[in-house]
Amino acid sequence: MATAAAASASEAEAESKAGPQAEGEEDEAKAARTRRKVLSRAVAAATYKTMGPGWDQQEEGVSESDGDEEYAMASSAESSPGEYEWEYDEEEEKNQLEIERLEEQLSINVYDYNCHVDLIRLLRLEGELAKVRTARQKMSEIFPLTEELWLEWLQDEVSMALDGLDRERVYDLFERAVQDYICPNIWLEYGQYSVGGIGQKGGLEKVRSVFERALSSVGLHMTKGLAIWEAYREFESAIVEAARPIAGFLSPFDREQTFDSQLEKVHSLFRRQLAIPLYDMEATFAEYEEWSEDPIPESVIQSYNKALQQLEKYKPYEEALLQAEAPRLAEYQAYIDFEMKVGDPARIQLIFERALVENCLVPDLWTRYSQYLDRQLKVKDLVLSVHSRAVRNCPWTVALWSRYLLAMERHGVDHRVISVTFEKALSAGFIQATDYVEIWQAYLDYLRRRVDFKQDSSKELEELRAAFARALEYLKQEVDERFNESGDPSCLIMQNWARIEARLCNNMQKARELWDSIMTKGNAKYANMWLEYYNLERAHGDTQHCRKALHRAVQCTSDYPEHVCEVLLTMERTEGTLEDWDIAVQKTETRLARVNEQRLKAAEKEAALVQQEEEKAEQRKRARAEKKALRKKKKIRGADKHEADEDDEKEWGDDEEEQPSKRRRVENSVPPATGKVGLDLEEDTGPVDVEPPSKQKARAAAPKRDMPKVLHDSSKDGVTVFVSNLPYSLGAPEAALRPLFEACGDVVEIRPIFSNRGDFRGYCYVEFKEEAAALRALELDRKSVEGRPMFVSPCVDKSKHPDFKVFRYSTALEKHKLFVSGLPFSCTKEELEEICKAHGTVKDIRLVTNRAGKPKGLAYVEYENESQASQAVLKMDGMTIKENVIKVAISNPPQRRVPEKPEARKAPGGPLVPRQMYGARGKGRTQLSLLPRALQLPSAAGTQAENGPAPPPAGVTPAAEAPKMSNADFAKLLLRK
């Protein structure tokens, strides 16, 4: 029988035609077609063998499925011993060592997904069937398995199934497999395997039950649902063909009960399928017309035409999915929005399931799906199943665990199950300390709702109090030590506990103890904390404790003491005695006087600092004016000397020729600033193109040309981009850049900027016809031009928009992105990607370079999700690459320091940071002082103040006011030994 099935499979492969592509996979469609042909032949063979008056009541174990025999043959062929097994001893030993290493790694971190996959692969390769089954079981308890992992597991279990008990275990395994994700191929395998047990008791009902559930799960799938419908129809058609020879020997009544009823089942399947919008509906309708002996009813035709109209509405979304690349989240989101507007619950559930197959690690998608089920369908089994799968896929997301606990409570799940789920949440490994506070609050809220506070004491109340105590201890011992910060700085959990004790348990003594503890944790300086305690005392305590709390608040509060004093006086005015009023007035006046005195001193100190800064600024201004006047005087004196020395005219001419060369070098080193800029805040200024001295002299000797000025029309900023950091050696910038930018759209003009000598200055303007082309051109930012990264930024006039900034990359915390430092300069992007992809799916890698395109030893690695990034940090931090020890951390760039405006420096209360008088580039480490030591002030005079140079002491003449010396005096000082 297995031989016949194998022959049938080969015939089906030869005769099958290309069916509808299941989301663009032609091979998968062909394989599904082959399985359906094998299925129909297997059903026919099994039905012929078992057909009879009581054919569905036969004892178990009468027949074996073709699928079992095929698996058995494959298994025996694979397990046949080789002739040269000794050649593999070394490889087996290596595999065993790797298996031991993986098992040890999992004993340390059981949530290492890739480690589970590698262990299962090696154990299967070594033929350790029992260990493979155990490893798969452990992994499936922690993570949902993909369709490929389930199919591999099912294939192994089917090949080892020998009797009815084994078959039941395989059935259970199939049931677990279809729960993780929506998997049409697994449903097909499930149906095919169940056909093999058709000869057992209840076998026919089992097959039909599996196919009906498969239709409920994936029958509406527009691209893959067709395979399930056809497989089910082939099965029922095979039973019809098997019953046809026997029907002629039966009485008319028995014939109607068997053959005609079975024929009606096939008709029903055709009609149900034609009422659903699926791909290749026309072929199904043509097949029905050919198969049916009677004309197709008008109602069926109307349902078919309606489904065709619906298909046209869905096609744009399906085609968008076919054309996009995985994970296609944006396309699925648009599809979900469309289905939500239509409002069909079955189709909404299906599109969510389809989206989660490729985006199972997106917490927001799980949140949206579970929220829809909680508010709309409210089916217990379905809702809890989705919540369970959500936390298994994204265990690091506390919001999913909180919603899961609420759903379990909403549907009346047993308390022990909810408690176990909460314990799993605590061990999930959240990323932030506040996440643990949130999950504890959700669980404590659940426990509070279980308590009947009408009773003085109950088991539930004691459990609630024990949970509060455990929560505080857990946050102190586990969370604070792990994150080096308090997850609950405002003591929210302790506040809730105090409110419950005061309002629901009438236990103000315990509430006061809790508030005393809250205040000792650094909250006594905040007025709002004291007022919260005061309100609790007002509602459930007594006046004496209210007065005591407010008196303490007056003494301790440092942020808003006036508000606390006002509350105290208001209470004494309405409830206190004269003595209480006098005490309150005295305390509040004393406290406010002390606060005002402190504020006055702080204001005076701040004013003094502002005045000091203004005086320093004025000194710097005078010093600059004196230097400017001195340079002007020297320039005039030099011109007079030049006119007097006519004999040295040629020598002075050579000097004049040297000066433009120096200016040219400055132009090449620092591109001139203009009103149109593109800011780059990540790369430093690196080495630039500098010509050799001989070439610079030749260029300096070239005649000066008056280049036409390039004027820019600010009204065209929307269609223009500013291009900078181009090589100065670019001969024909317009010809070199035009092919690059024409790929973005029609280019109106490229305006390169030249110096007066006709040299390219490294930047230009590119004007397009359309604004969309200018936006596309921004994507060319950092593209290499002659080995140098080109900067492309929007064209914005900084004189009109001084605060304009362009951030190329995010500067916030990105949990799915890593910052790698200490890389060797020779490390390429491909080499780093090869190292990183061993720990997860790498979406992008960016090596940080300077303006000249030279590597800086830094990189940003973006993973698919947060969990993979966390695993990569643990495994890669401290790794050695080409003798360099790298450091790896979650990307969290520090806040950038924005230069202060002049008016901000003079404003009262603003930060007072003195300017340094070292020029635009700062004081270099090799900069020498040309002042003779004899003229330098003693070191004591150069002491620094906290925020800048200290002012000269009284009576000391500043260096700028020293008596002037002649050239002869300077010569004597320099020659003195």
Side-chain angles (χ1 to χ4, degrees), residues 667-790:
E667 289 179 357
N668 278 337
S669 300
V670 184
T674 109
K676 311 294 181 181
V677 296
L679 299 180
D680 181 86
L681 300 179
E682 291 207 36
E683 284 81 1
D684 297 339
T685 301
V688 296
D689 303 329
V690 180
E691 298 177 349
S694 60
K695 193 171 181 180
Q696 292 178 3
K697 289 182 180 181
R699 187 177 295 275
K704 181 177 180 180
R705 296 180 292 175
D706 292 331
M707 299 297 296
K709 292 186 177 181
V710 178
L711 300 178
H712 175 67
D713 187 358
S714 298
S715 63
K716 297 182 179 180
D717 284 350
V719 295
T720 307
V721 295
F722 179 72
V723 184
S724 59
N725 201 47
L726 294 168
Y728 299 113
S729 60
L730 206 60
E734 185 174 1
L737 298 177
R738 184 171 289 276
L740 290 176
F741 289 99
E742 283 184 343
C744 303
D746 294 336
V747 177
V748 176
E749 184 184 10
I750 296 179
R751 300 190 297 277
I753 309 301
F754 296 92
S755 66
N756 290 336
R757 298 185 180 278
D759 299 326
F760 181 49
R761 301 182 71 177
Y763 59 97
C764 66
Y765 299 92
V766 181
E767 181 182 339
F768 294 89
K769 282 187 177 180
E770 300 176 352
E771 186 175 355
L775 295 176
R776 287 193 293 270
L778 296 177
E779 299 177 1
L780 297 177
D781 189 33
R782 269 65 173 190
K783 185 174 181 60
S784 178
V785 176
E786 294 189 2
R788 188 183 183 92
M790 170 181 67

Side-chain angles (χ1 to χ4, degrees), residues 356-414:
L356 287 168
V357 170
E358 299 180 12
N359 299 277
C360 59
L361 299 179
V362 180
D364 292 342
L365 192 59
W366 284 108
T367 300
R368 187 178 181 186
Y369 185 24
S370 60
Q371 181 176 332
Y372 168 76
L373 296 177
D374 287 335
R375 297 179 180 178
Q376 302 296 329
L377 294 186
K378 301 180 181 179
V379 180
K380 177 180 178 180
D381 293 338
L382 177 60
V383 170
L384 295 182
S385 173
V386 170
H387 279 289
S388 175
R389 291 159 55 204
V391 297
R392 291 178 67 199
N393 280 279
C394 306
W396 65 88
T397 307
V398 67
L400 294 177
W401 286 102
S402 300
R403 297 181 66 87
Y404 189 17
L405 294 176
L406 289 172
M408 296 175 76
E409 180 185 2
R410 193 177 295 118
H411 291 282
V413 177
D414 185 72

Side-chain angles (χ1 to χ4, degrees), residues 220 339 342-351 372-373 376-377:
L220 297 177
E339 291 286 13
V342 176
D344 185 353
R347 298 198 65 89
I348 293 174
Q349 181 186 351
L350 176 65
I351 192 59
Y372 168 76
L373 296 177
Q376 302 296 329
L377 294 186

Side-chain angles (χ1 to χ4, degrees), residues 338-511:
F338 172 74
E339 291 286 13
M340 295 283 277
K341 292 179 181 178
V342 176
D344 185 353
R347 298 198 65 89
I348 293 174
Q349 181 186 351
L350 176 65
I351 192 59
F352 269 116
E353 293 288 352
R354 289 177 60 184
L356 287 168
V357 170
E358 299 180 12
N359 299 277
C360 59
L361 299 179
V362 180
D364 292 342
L365 192 59
W366 284 108
T367 300
R368 187 178 181 186
Y369 185 24
S370 60
Q371 181 176 332
Y372 168 76
L373 296 177
D374 287 335
R375 297 179 180 178
Q376 302 296 329
L377 294 186
K378 301 180 181 179
V379 180
K380 177 180 178 180
D381 293 338
L382 177 60
V383 170
L384 295 182
S385 173
V386 170
H387 279 289
S388 175
R389 291 159 55 204
V391 297
R392 291 178 67 199
N393 280 279
C394 306
W396 65 88
T397 307
V398 67
L400 294 177
W401 286 102
S402 300
R403 297 181 66 87
Y404 189 17
L405 294 176
L406 289 172
M408 296 175 76
E409 180 185 2
R410 193 177 295 118
H411 291 282
V413 177
D414 185 72
H415 171 63
R416 288 174 294 181
V417 177
I418 296 178
S419 299
V420 170
T421 304
F422 169 71
E423 296 297 333
K424 290 181 180 178
L426 287 181
S427 62
F430 298 129
I431 299 176
Q432 298 177 352
T434 54
D435 292 344
Y436 289 92
V437 179
E438 183 176 346
I439 193 63
W440 269 109
Q441 284 184 319
Y443 184 60
L444 292 169
D445 291 345
Y446 156 71
L447 294 179
R448 194 265 306 165
R449 288 189 287 266
R450 295 180 67 243
V451 179
D452 182 8
F453 290 99
K454 295 179 181 179
Q455 302 178 9
D456 294 337
S457 179
S458 63
K459 179 181 178 182
E460 290 78 10
L461 179 58
E462 295 302 322
E463 184 177 1
L464 174 62
R465 285 171 171 163
F468 268 114
R470 183 191 169 200
L472 298 178
E473 186 68 21
Y474 185 91
L475 293 177
K476 179 181 178 181
Q477 298 294 333
E478 302 291 337
V479 179
D480 295 358
E481 294 180 2
R482 174 184 171 187
F483 293 94
N484 294 323
E485 64 179 61
S486 176
D488 190 12
S490 299
C491 301
L492 296 178
I493 291 181
M494 205 177 297
Q495 288 187 46
N496 291 336
W497 190 3
R499 294 189 189 100
I500 290 174
E501 292 289 353
R503 296 175 181 174
L504 301 177
C505 301
N506 298 319
N507 187 356
M508 279 303 300
Q509 181 180 356
K510 180 64 176 179

Side-chain angles (χ1 to χ4, degrees), residues 768-969:
F768 294 89
K769 282 187 177 180
E770 300 176 352
E771 186 175 355
L775 295 176
R776 287 193 293 270
L778 296 177
E779 299 177 1
L780 297 177
D781 189 33
R782 269 65 173 190
K783 185 174 181 60
S784 178
V785 176
E786 294 189 2
R788 188 183 183 92
M790 170 181 67
F791 298 164
V792 184
S793 57
C795 193
V796 177
D797 192 347
K798 283 203 68 179
S799 63
K800 298 180 181 179
H801 305 279
D803 296 330
F804 174 77
K805 287 180 173 55
V806 177
F807 288 92
R808 177 68 173 85
Y809 304 106
S810 173
T811 59
L813 173 65
E814 296 176 282
K815 298 177 183 178
H816 65 289
K817 186 180 292 186
L818 304 183
F819 175 69
V820 185
S821 60
L823 289 169
F825 293 152
S826 60
C827 181
T828 63
K829 180 178 179 180
E830 291 74 17
E831 293 174 345
L832 182 59
E833 183 177 8
E834 188 67 25
I835 296 172
C836 296
K837 71 181 183 180
H839 311 298
T841 304
V842 178
K843 296 180 65 176
D844 184 38
I845 291 181
R846 178 169 61 86
L847 296 178
V848 180
T849 61
N850 57 23
R851 299 177 70 93
K854 304 298 182 182
K856 298 173 65 176
L858 309 174
Y860 290 91
V861 182
E862 182 179 357
Y863 279 93
E864 192 173 44
N865 54 69
E866 302 171 9
S867 62
Q868 294 180 0
S870 301
Q871 292 292 332
V873 170
L874 296 176
K875 296 181 180 179
M876 293 177 57
D877 190 30
M879 178 185 292
T880 301
I881 300 179
K882 295 182 179 180
E883 299 182 357
N884 282 37
V885 179
I886 65 173
K887 294 182 179 180
V888 183
I890 297 295
S891 177
N892 188 16
Q895 295 295 326
R896 304 183 183 280
R897 296 182 179 178
V898 181
E900 298 177 22
K901 299 179 182 178
E903 56 269 19
R905 298 172 56 84
K906 296 181 180 180
L912 304 177
V913 182
R915 295 179 181 175
Q916 301 295 334
M917 300 175 61
Y918 302 139
R921 296 178 61 88
K923 184 174 181 180
R925 284 179 291 180
T926 59
Q927 187 171 335
L928 302 177
S929 174
L930 299 181
L931 184 66
R933 291 189 181 91
L935 297 181
Q936 292 181 359
L937 295 177
S939 59
T943 56
Q944 297 286 323
E946 182 180 357
N947 290 325
V956 179
T957 302
E961 301 177 1
K964 296 183 179 180
M965 302 179 66
S966 65
N967 290 339
D969 295 332

